[in-house]
Amino acid sequence: MQINLHQRELNIKIVYYGTSYSGKTTNLEQIYARVDPNRRSDLVSLKTNDDRTLYFDFLQLELSKISGLTPKIHLYTVPGQSYYETSRRLVLNGVDGVVFVVDSASDRVIDNMNSWNDLQDHLSFYGKSLDTVPIVVQFNKRDLPNALAINDLSSTLKTDGYAACPAVAVNGQGVFDTFKVVVSDVINGIQREAVD
Amino acid sequence: MMGNPYNNISLYLRAGITIFPSQDKAIEEVLVNLLERCPAQHILLLDSSGLLINSLGGGKDTNPVSLASLIAADLAASKEIANLTRQYNNCQLVMREGERTNTFIVEAGQYLILFVQLSKDVPLGWARLMINETANQIADIIKKTPETAEQSSIGTTDEDLSSQIDDSINDLWSQ
Ligand SMILES: Nc1nc2c(ncn2[C@@H]2O[C@H](COP(=O)(O)OP(=O)(O)O)[C@@H](O)[C@H]2O)c(=O)[nH]1
Ligand SMILES: [Mg+2]
């Protein structure tokens, strides 16, 4: 988070985290395609030759003023494969809110679990945790025939109690809801802390 | 200013950075000085998480916001490589030689990163000296939090903040 009281900007960093192929990049692509071009930056993607995320994707959005400050939302994704562990940690530096993208497919349960644990390890590296950083769990790929029930996924992953959004990111479904929940949680969090 | 949610901003942004008007002006001066004296073609100041703070010079078609995210990632990766190869340096510097320009990426204190692009005509020793000096000045400016009077000088409306947030986000999507 970065606040510039002179330029009246509130800069917020949101990271889309989750196992490889869960739909993180798709979320950013959908947002990119749907918002007014005047309100967004280019979509930066550091990809391998076969189109997989190598380091991160990045997109900045500019909201209209809130309490006299212009929020600028910086969205990042991480590379999901286990061998990109260090890169994932680097991208989490300075994170203000996380979207954890779950692949609902029944054969991805273990991968989702590993990623969820990995997220907690990396947050603790920065002195943060799931209790201090706003998290939204996006249950993606709800359209798959082998998608597990959200309740079952949630209790297996132990994500009960965190904000949840079902999604079919590839069609844009649930993408905005997820974005909205995480951004309002982050901004409301600032307000709460300020009032305390 | 009771009820102003941003009143005590500096107290709770422990992990983040708050830049006060006087600091923003002081930084701008230091950067303009570097731009002119070096001279540099493009200067970016950003924080270590990739959030842009200031951009001076630069071509019309370079997007400083995207560039900032890449510079932070570049420096983070370089630092990690230095760590893994036991070349750790307190103040990491990345230099690139291009065909017509050179670029420097250097830490300015604990939280900020300075990127400078300059012509190959500028001697490297001179550029390094100027850039390091500027980085130190910026680190000093950020270290000093201004007086409380300035901290609370933000105007806010009395509207319900949550509904403002809702409107602002909805507005983004519906356009
Ligand atoms: N069936 C289905 N496929 C999806 C959905 N969201 C993303 N995908 C596909 O899953 C693949 C991986 O998506 P990507 O965004 O690259 O995943 P990432 O590795 O998490 O960035 C792509 O082929 C997407 O089109 C979804 O909701 N349903
Ligand atoms: Mg990806």
Side-chain angles (χ1 to χ4, degrees), chain B residues 86-111:
Chain B
R86 297 195 188 78
Q87 295 177 300
Y88 185 74
N89 191 332
N90 233 341
C91 182
Q92 185 73 34
L93 180 140
V94 180
M95 197 210 135
R96 271 195 192 88
E97 292 193 64
E99 218 173 286
R100 268 171 283 168
T101 60
N102 295 324
T103 59
F104 286 84
I105 299 173
V106 56
E107 286 177 291
Q110 217 181 329
Y111 308 108

Side-chain angles (χ1 to χ4, degrees), chain A residues 1-13 30-31 34-36 39 41-42 44 46 55-56 58 60-69 71 74 76 86 89-90 93-96 128 172 175-176 179-180 183-184 187-188 190-191 193-196, chain B residues 3-9 12-21 24-25 28 46-54 63 65-66 68-70 72-74 76-77 80 150-151 153-157 160-162 164-173 175:
Chain A
M1 176 126 18
Q2 181 212 104
I3 296 198
N4 188 319
L5 296 180
H6 190 216
Q7 290 161 25
R8 290 174 179 270
E9 281 176 14
L10 170 64
N11 284 285
I12 290 171
K13 180 170 179 175
Q30 287 289 332
I31 294 172
R34 281 159 199 255
V35 305
D36 176 356
R39 291 292 191 85
S41 71
D42 293 337
V44 175
L46 299 182
Y55 198 166
F56 58 81
F58 167 79
Q60 190 210 51
L61 303 169
E62 187 173 320
L63 301 188
S64 48
K65 282 200 172 75
I66 296 174
S67 265
L69 294 175
H74 300 242
Y76 282 82
T86 309
R89 171 159 60 72
L90 297 180
N93 183 13
V95 68
D96 297 306
K128 296 179 175 176
V175 168
F176 183 55
F179 171 83
K180 189 170 167 174
V183 172
S184 10
I187 301 181
N188 277 310
I190 300 173
Q191 180 191 23
E193 285 184 61
V195 169
D196 285 349
Chain B
N4 174 354
Y6 296 103
N7 232 348
N8 294 315
I9 239 152
Y12 55 85
L13 285 174
R14 276 174 227 102
I17 300 167
T18 304
I19 297 161
F20 296 95
D24 200 46
K25 282 177 212 147
E28 173 101 17
L46 47 135
D47 72 20
S48 54
S49 70
L51 305 175
L52 180 67
I53 295 171
N54 212 324
N63 177 347
V65 169
S66 310
S69 75
L70 292 168
D74 187 0
E80 199 63 36
E150 192 185 3
Q151 291 187 25
S153 64
I154 332 159
T156 52
T157 64
D160 174 28
L161 190 77
S162 294
Q164 276 193 61
I165 296 170
D166 267 12
D167 292 349
S168 171
I169 301 174
N170 287 333
D171 184 35
L172 179 73
W173 211 251
Q175 288 189 18

Side-chain angles (χ1 to χ4, degrees), chain A residues 16-30 51-53 57 77-81 101 103 108 138-145 167-173:
Chain A
Y16 283 70
Y17 205 93
T19 187
S20 66
Y21 231 64
S22 59
K24 303 176 292 294
T25 300
T26 306
N27 268 271
L28 262 64
E29 287 169 347
Q30 287 289 332
D51 228 29
R52 309 310 321 279
T53 306
D57 307 288
T77 68
V78 296
Q81 294 92 322
V101 183
D103 189 331
R108 298 301 307 279
Q138 181 185 73
F139 293 96
N140 191 31
K141 305 201 181 183
R142 299 309 303 159
D143 58 318
L144 290 180
V168 184
V170 76
N171 301 334
Q173 243 172 286

